[in-house]
């Protein structure tokens, strides 16, 4: 039997919830929704006061449709309660913390109990299975290990599946290619742009990765044309995987073999699409902002979290047999966040970093390019007239201070270019801070 065939019921019992009849799934969802709303209400001051403010109690959630009565949660709620204000479990029960970009200087923090980690592992196993990855596969996990959720999320999923996981993390391209060839790697997990970089470098090094057959790519938007290019140039199948730290990490949704949208693991994450201007829930199929509710999270349950990712829900049955609804691939966001080398960046974070250093003006431009498949970011920043007339050494020192300040906040080394006062174009109305030239 072909390993690509994952029949209804799956080879893996763990994937059984992917194929539940919808009414049965809805029952599980309602029961979990009621319990997560109670948990958040009882244990998290912010949720309690928001529900109280609407005159609601957890007992008002009598059907799945009642979810629309609940208030939204947004990223700034995580910032305002930094670091631990949204936790619904005592520290003694929290076994892991991760962090992701906030909108200014501080990151946002997310927490997991052991049961949360088990759910995360489960959805990652189900994701790998959906991509046609099995026991016997050798997975090169080139997502970053650390505070970023990609590395450890994929790692534990791969191991629990029974595959062989190589925890190589991101970076060091030559070593990646050597390992890929020498260790007989059959599957790779990394950002699509990094894989593109690997392909380009492999050409130069005359390395062929003929054993590699599948890639699990996510953490940043990538187009259909980028998928074609990846597949044409490497001969592998490229799957899209989606997730975000606030909800769990990778494994919120994934493309099955059909690759016509990403199945959302709806038994753990309840999806809605809203109009990002009005907050109104949109009908099936309409494009809007994805809102997710964690149905089984203990340490940090999030109710109606506004992801800012723009997509649409697809509910036509999928040929793979999964009954889970799908979201269309995410092409853009409803805010100004962009992703570079897998790191989420808000222009406001760059601004915070620049303003921490004396001698610059709050006029800057962020330019994104791609060089041999690798994302590059340059920040052009205006300096004050006094600084501009300084000698070259003083300017270089300022440039280095700015680069260090940005690295401090983003964890990314980027190029800073100083320019004279009034040399950057001013926009009328809303400032356009980012020029993205990375079109693949
Ligand atoms: O990027 C989790 C992840 C790791 C997903 C590995 C997939 C693979 P964050 O760092 O919190 O978490 O970033 C989440 O990244 O809101 C989207 O804007 C974007 N994003 C993630 N996956 C995709 C994707 C991880 N497949 C933010 N397509 C999300 C488009 C994606 N955007």
């Amino acid at each position: 039997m072909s390993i690509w065939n994952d029949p209804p019921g799956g080879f893996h019992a763990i994937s059984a919830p992917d194929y539940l009849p919808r009414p049965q799934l809805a029952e599980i969802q309602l029961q979990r929704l009621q319990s997560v709303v109670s948990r958040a209400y009882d244990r998290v001051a912010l949720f309690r006061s928001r529900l109280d403010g609407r005159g609601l109690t957890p007992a008002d959630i009598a059907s799945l449709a009642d979810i629309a009565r609940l208030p939204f949660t947004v990223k700034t709620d995580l910032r305002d309660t930094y670091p631990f204000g949204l936790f619904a479990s005592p520290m003694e029960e929290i076994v892991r913390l991760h962090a992701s970009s906030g909108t200014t200087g501080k990151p946002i923090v997310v927490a997991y109990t052991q049961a949360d980690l088990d759910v995360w592992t489960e959805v990652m196993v189900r994701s790998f299975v959906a991509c046609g990855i099995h026991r016997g596969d050798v997975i090169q996990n080139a997502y970053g290990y650390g505070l970023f959720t990609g590395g450890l999320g994929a790692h534990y999923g791969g191991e629990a599946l029974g595959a062989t996981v190589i925890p190589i993390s991101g970076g060091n391209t030559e070593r990646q290619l050597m390992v890929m060839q020498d260790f007989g790697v059959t599957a790779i997990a990394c950002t699509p742009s990094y894989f593109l970089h690997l392909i380009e470098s492999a050409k130069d090094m005359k390395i062929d990765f003929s054993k590699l057959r599948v890639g699990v790519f996510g953490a940043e938007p990538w187009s259909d044309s980028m998928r074609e290019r990846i597949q044409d140039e490497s001969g592998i199948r490229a799957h899209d995987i989606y997730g975000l730290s606030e909800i769990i990490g990778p494994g919120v949704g994934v493309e099955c073999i059909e690759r016509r949208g990403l199945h959302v693991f709806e038994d753990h994450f309840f999806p809605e699409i809203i109009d990002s201007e009005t907050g109104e829930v949109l009908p099936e199929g309409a494009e809007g902002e994805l809102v997710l509710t964690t149905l089984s999270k203990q340490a940090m349950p999030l109710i109606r979290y506004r992801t800012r990712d723009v997509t649409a829900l697809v509910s036509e049955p999928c040929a793979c047999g999964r009954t889970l609804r799908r979201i269309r691939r995410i092409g853009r966001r409803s805010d100004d966040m962009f992703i570079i080398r897998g790191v989420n960046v808000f222009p406001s974070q760059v601004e915070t970093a620049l303003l921490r250093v004396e001698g610059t003006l709050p006029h800057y431009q962020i330019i994104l390019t791609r060089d041999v498949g690798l994302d590059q970011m340059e920040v052009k920043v205006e300096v004050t007239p006094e600084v501009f007339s300084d000698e070259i050494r003083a300017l270089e020192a300022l440039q280095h201070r700015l680069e260090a300040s940005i690295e401090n906040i983003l964890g990314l080394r980027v190029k800073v270019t100083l320019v004279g006062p009034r040399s950057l174009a001013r926009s009328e109305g809303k400032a356009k801070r980012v020029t993205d030239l990375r079109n693949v």
Side-chain angles (χ1 to χ4, degrees), residues 56-68:
L56 288 172
T57 71
D60 291 315
I61 304 300
S63 73
L64 279 177
D66 287 329
I67 196 167

Side-chain angles (χ1 to χ4, degrees), residues 100 143 148-149 219-221 240-241 243-245 309 333 339 344:
S100 180
Y143 282 120
F148 176 57
T149 53
E220 63 189 15
D240 195 352
I241 184 164
L244 60 161
S245 321
D309 292 316
R333 291 180 51 92
I339 303 175
N344 301 350

Side-chain angles (χ1 to χ4, degrees), residues 81-100:
T81 54
Y82 176 87
F84 300 160
L86 293 184
F87 291 5
S89 297
M91 251 356 232
E92 308 84 78
E93 286 171 22
I94 287 171
V95 297
R96 176 98 64 82
L97 298 175
H98 279 280
S100 180

Side-chain angles (χ1 to χ4, degrees), residues 28-98:
I28 295 173
Q29 287 178 315
L30 177 59
Q31 186 222 328
R32 289 186 177 169
L33 177 66
Q34 288 169 329
S35 114
V36 82
V37 170
S38 297
R39 183 179 182 90
Y41 186 81
D42 292 343
R43 297 175 179 228
V44 184
L46 181 110
F47 290 122
R48 176 187 287 263
S49 66
R50 292 232 172 118
L51 255 66
D52 286 347
R54 293 191 169 203
L56 288 172
T57 71
D60 291 315
I61 304 300
S63 73
L64 279 177
D66 287 329
I67 196 167
R69 302 171 66 190
L70 295 168
F72 293 118
T73 313
V74 292
K75 194 165 195 129
T76 47
D77 292 329
L78 279 85
R79 184 193 67 193
D80 298 344
T81 54
Y82 176 87
F84 300 160
L86 293 184
F87 291 5
S89 297
M91 251 356 232
E92 308 84 78
E93 286 171 22
I94 287 171
V95 297
R96 176 98 64 82
L97 298 175
H98 279 280

